[in-house]
Amino acid sequence: NDMEILEDKPGFYMEPHIDNRRVGSVISINLRDNAPGTGTSFYNLTELDRMNVKPWFINDEGRKESLKKKQFMAKKKVLYDSKYLFTGPSELGTGILWWNHHTTMHGIENYSDKNRYTLYSITPTASYFEADNQKEI
């Protein structure tokens, strides 16, 4: 399968998400001692949970009012923090492998002042079926 080296600069943020169904599994291996806590984080969170965090609120008059982006992001962070499970390792040569599922919510934040380097590879869902078909032949 294809592999690529990812460089996540300081301040990089990939919001918690679920990969599309074409992704079968993902492996991410640290190519250096990355900053502690900057590995992929996983959450007990669903897309429905995320969709229920609205960028608005109902004011005292019963009308919708938009939240400012900073307020909205703070609201989402409270949700993410409450659903946090664990963060993968960040030391050189360690990594994490996960199978994609509709509950595999994950994200990355490089809050450090150094670039984060990982080797990243996705195995498409179709590859698992191709391997099964080849065994039968």
Side-chain angles (χ1 to χ4, degrees):
N1 292 322
D2 291 331
M3 291 182 239
E4 60 184 300
I5 294 174
L6 298 182
E7 175 187 45
D8 300 329
K9 297 186 182 299
F12 175 80
Y13 177 71
M14 180 185 294
E15 187 166 357
H17 65 283
I18 296 172
D19 293 329
N20 67 60
R21 298 310 294 156
R22 292 185 304 272
V23 174
S25 63
V26 178
I27 189 167
S28 179
I29 300 171
N30 295 294
L31 296 177
R32 63 177 286 181
D33 282 328
N34 292 309
T38 60
T40 302
S41 294
F42 291 84
Y43 303 84
N44 184 20
L45 185 68
T46 67
E47 288 288 351
L48 191 58
D49 291 329
R50 274 184 29 155
M51 289 171 34
N52 283 331
V53 179
K54 306 289 186 201
W56 47 265
F57 66 98
I58 304 296
N59 68 19
D60 293 337
E61 291 83 37
R63 292 193 303 265
K64 278 186 185 180
E65 273 189 48
S66 294
L67 291 170
K68 293 181 179 160
K69 184 175 182 178
K70 196 173 184 178
Q71 292 171 313
F72 179 53
M73 293 305 289
K75 192 175 178 183
K76 285 184 8 181
K77 182 171 176 12
V78 168
L79 171 66
Y80 296 157
D81 288 351
S82 73
K83 301 288 188 167
Y84 172 79
L85 292 172
F86 68 94
T87 297
S90 58
E91 296 82 16
L92 170 67
T94 63
I96 192 160
L97 164 70
W98 69 93
W99 278 266
N100 189 26
H101 187 266
H102 67 274
T103 61
T104 315
M105 183 74 73
H106 59 283
I108 300 167
E109 184 173 5
N110 183 3
Y111 56 83
S112 76
D113 61 354
K114 295 188 180 352
N115 290 346
R116 175 180 179 264
Y117 292 98
T118 55
L119 181 69
Y120 186 80
S121 179
I122 294 173
T123 301
T125 304
S127 294
Y128 291 103
F129 297 108
E130 290 168 8
D132 283 344
N133 290 338
Q134 291 173 3
K135 288 178 186 175
E136 292 176 14
I137 295 177

